[in-house]
Amino acid sequence: MTALLTGCGPNKIIVDLPSPQGQYHVEVRKCPQPGAMTWTEKTQVSVLKSGTSENCQSAVNALAQFGSFSPDDQLQLEWISDVELRAWHPSFDPKFGPASASYKPDNPVKIIFAPAK
């Protein structure tokens, strides 16, 4: 029964933050942790063009994507300009940001992994 439950669960947008000019947005989605034998959730952060969305465990539309950890209320997202996003969570490495991140080669949005000043 555990194996059946691992594929179920949230696939829910918890934050959608548009860039200042509205050309891009950041979508924060609560997702089931892939491959987990017990119920585990992860937070998926996707930078997208306006009008697009990204499902859990997918990076088809995402210009950039990274994961975050709980608690979600410690995740900081701030558009510095229409093409610069500041993102931070206490679980990120101070020099490198999140444990993993993916970027499309033509990604026009620069992500700066740093705490608020």
Side-chain angles (χ1 to χ4, degrees), residues 47-49 52-54 58-65 101-109 111:
V47 178
L48 301 148
K49 288 183 179 178
T52 62
S53 188
E54 196 66 82
S58 175
V60 175
N61 296 316
L63 299 170
Q65 190 174 80
S102 62
Y103 305 90
K104 284 201 172 176
D106 59 348
N107 176 16
V109 177
I111 302 176

Side-chain angles (χ1 to χ4, degrees), residues 12-98:
K12 179 174 118 177
I13 296 171
I14 55 175
V15 172
D16 192 2
L17 183 64
S19 64
Q21 301 296 318
Q23 188 174 0
Y24 305 102
H25 69 114
V26 178
E27 185 179 272
V28 181
R29 189 178 284 270
K30 193 57 103 170
C31 299
Q33 180 71 37
M37 294 305 290
T38 59
W39 181 254
T40 308
E41 292 180 347
K42 74 169 194 164
T43 302
Q44 174 179 292
V45 181
S46 302
V47 178
L48 301 148
K49 288 183 179 178
S50 183
T52 62
S53 188
E54 196 66 82
N55 284 321
C56 288
Q57 286 87 39
S58 175
V60 175
N61 296 316
L63 299 170
Q65 190 174 80
F66 60 92
S68 181
F69 296 97
S70 293
D72 291 323
D73 63 355
Q74 291 184 0
L75 177 63
Q76 301 171 18
L77 297 169
E78 175 188 18
W79 286 100
I80 298 167
S81 72
D82 204 48
V83 293
E84 286 186 312
L85 174 72
R86 185 188 65 79
W88 185 251
H89 190 277
S91 67
F92 292 173
D93 183 301
K95 294 181 182 176
F96 304 108

